[in-house]
Amino acid sequence: MQEQAGNSFISKPVAIIYHRIAHWFYNRKMYFIARWISQRARHKTGIEIHPGAKIGRRVFIDHGMGVVIGETAEIGDDVLIYQGVTLGGTGKEKGKRHPTIGNNVLIGAGAKVLGPFKVGDNTKIGANAVVLREVEENSTVVGVPGRVVRKEKKEKPTVEEQLDQIRFPDPLAMQICSLEAKIEALEKKLAEYERRLKEYEALQHSQPDQGRV
């Protein structure tokens, strides 16, 4: 237990430190040693960062086991990444294949961001979301595939808002509520039509037959 706790503690900053070193060698076309360092870091921390990835300042990987960051991924400043996150490609692109993450972005546990697009500043990606297209800044994204369920007007959220992973809108629940409201309105219209039809039938029966000899 002590060894596991120790690995969990050191994995967060050490993975970034290893990457800074590997990236230095990568930029000087010393690919073998860069890749060796990144694989060493993966073995020690459980976090796999390709040495070609560009990572900004104050990036924090919390409980980072299973995090994978691809070669052409770019991460801005003050980004918080939780365990199991993948910044990857879809296997169809050439050149730039991985996402660009803006500043002050939170990526929840298990989220997958796949493709060569940008995730705007101050965005929150919910746990287990699968993001496959560009996201504007100040957005909240949840679901599979990822959908924007909230767009903030603030340029930069507070710390409490940025770290909040609980109070996310539920797009499925919102759709169900919308459908329930539509069904209720249709039921009211149908009831009104039935009432009018009964009144018409009663009126027809109450009138004497015309034209009968």
Side-chain angles (χ1 to χ4, degrees), residues 1-7:
M1 294 294 292
Q2 291 180 352
E3 182 180 356
Q4 291 179 352
N7 287 339

Side-chain angles (χ1 to χ4, degrees), residues 204 207-213:
Q204 290 295 316
Q207 292 179 353
D209 292 340
Q210 296 179 1
R212 179 176 298 178
V213 180

Side-chain angles (χ1 to χ4, degrees), residues 11-25:
S11 67
K12 304 163 191 174
V14 167
I16 300 295
I17 293 171
Y18 268 109
H19 173 72
R20 303 290 190 204
I21 299 170
H23 189 65
W24 188 88
F25 284 105

